[in-house]
Amino acid sequence: MFSTVFLKSLTIDSEKQLRELFATDTLYLAQGATLTVEGEIALGPNVMFEGANRLAGPLRIEQGCQIKDLTLGKNGNVRAHSVLSGVTAGENNLFGPFCFVRDGCEVGSNCILGAHFEGTRSTFGSGVKISHRAFVGDAVLGDDTIIGAGVVFCNYADGKRLSTTVGAKVLVGSGTLLVPPLSIGDGAVIAAGSLVTRDVAAGAKIIQKRRTET
């Protein structure tokens, strides 16, 4: 990692300047791109910046990440080989490794959007935890909601983009498919492997019957 402390806000507008400030030739800034930094910023090798970016340290962006139009608050950690494009995020967030978050996603604070996660056109409240291997598209997730591994928000139907709203403190078990348009109320629990095609009331528990082989 290459770390530099910026005592006041500084906008970097050339690759040469970026490399001089971090004393390495393994960082990249696209032509016309900018990087506004403040606080302690730690960057791994082969990080690429495009568009207009704002980073508030302390934070880390690990090796091989591709960053475009990112606003990231203090204590952010972008783990290796992640792609963040068009994302606005608060403080104390963990991304990746190998995650892909894009197209206007808004992330609160204290969130985990973890390994091999993909998100697009969605809003994540503070405290959302999605540790690995899930897809969230065209959705709004409330605070402190937990999404299990392999959950898919099925955001297209009949050639149209559809949306899902998930309340606060919802638990969605691994391998669940959410088919919009869909609304899930606060505090709902959806068991692993469910297929959800209808709205779920606040506090409800969805446990679908499993076929058993004899």
Side-chain angles (χ1 to χ4, degrees), residues 2 31 95 149 153 164 182 191 205-206:
F2 311 101
Q31 186 173 2
F95 296 90
F153 285 62
T164 298
L182 196 61
K205 294 184 178 180
I206 304 299

Side-chain angles (χ1 to χ4, degrees), residues 69-92:
D69 296 322
L70 170 67
T71 298
L72 182 58
K74 295 179 179 180
N75 298 309
N77 187 354
V78 184
R79 299 178 70 185
H81 305 292
S82 295
V83 178
L84 303 184
S85 178
V87 177
T88 300
E91 300 181 352
N92 304 305

Side-chain angles (χ1 to χ4, degrees), residues 4-73:
T4 300
V5 177
F6 299 90
L7 298 179
K8 60 181 180 180
S9 180
L10 174 69
T11 297
I12 302 167
D13 59 7
S14 74
E15 187 172 273
K16 179 181 178 182
Q17 183 187 17
L18 175 66
R19 292 180 171 188
E20 288 176 348
L21 288 166
F22 286 89
T24 176
D25 61 359
T26 64
L27 298 174
Y28 302 90
L29 186 69
Q31 186 173 2
T34 60
L35 175 60
T36 300
V37 290
E38 186 171 2
E40 182 179 3
I41 308 297
L43 303 177
N46 300 314
V47 174
M48 175 71 180
F49 292 97
E50 300 178 82
N53 305 278
R54 300 186 66 88
L55 307 179
L59 60 73
R60 292 167 54 93
I61 299 178
E62 297 179 5
Q63 66 180 10
C65 291
Q66 298 182 40
I67 306 298
K68 181 178 181 181
D69 296 322
L70 170 67
T71 298
L72 182 58

Side-chain angles (χ1 to χ4, degrees), residues 154-211:
C154 306
N155 57 328
Y156 277 89
D158 299 324
K160 298 179 180 179
R161 187 184 297 162
L162 301 174
S163 62
T164 298
T165 300
V166 179
K169 298 183 179 179
V170 171
L171 175 60
V172 180
S174 298
T176 293
L177 301 179
L178 303 175
V179 182
L182 196 61
S183 177
I184 299 172
D186 294 347
V189 176
I190 299 173
S194 296
L195 172 62
V196 183
T197 59
R198 297 181 180 180
D199 290 351
V200 178
K205 294 184 178 180
I206 304 299
I207 304 175
Q208 295 178 346
K209 185 177 181 180
R210 304 293 194 270
R211 176 183 295 180

Side-chain angles (χ1 to χ4, degrees), residues 68-146:
K68 181 178 181 181
D69 296 322
L70 170 67
T71 298
L72 182 58
K74 295 179 179 180
N75 298 309
N77 187 354
V78 184
R79 299 178 70 185
H81 305 292
S82 295
V83 178
L84 303 184
S85 178
V87 177
T88 300
E91 300 181 352
N92 304 305
N93 290 311
L94 173 64
F95 296 90
F98 296 98
C99 76
F100 184 18
V101 188
R102 55 192 169 90
D103 296 336
C105 283
E106 297 182 5
V107 183
S109 296
N110 305 301
C111 295
I112 297 174
L113 303 182
H116 301 278
F117 167 77
E118 182 176 359
T120 181
R121 297 181 300 273
S122 296
T123 300
F124 303 84
S126 293
V128 168
K129 303 293 188 293
I130 309 175
S131 292
H132 45 265
R133 297 187 184 278
F135 171 75
V136 177
D138 299 291
V140 176
L141 280 65
D143 293 348
D144 300 314
T145 280
I146 298 175

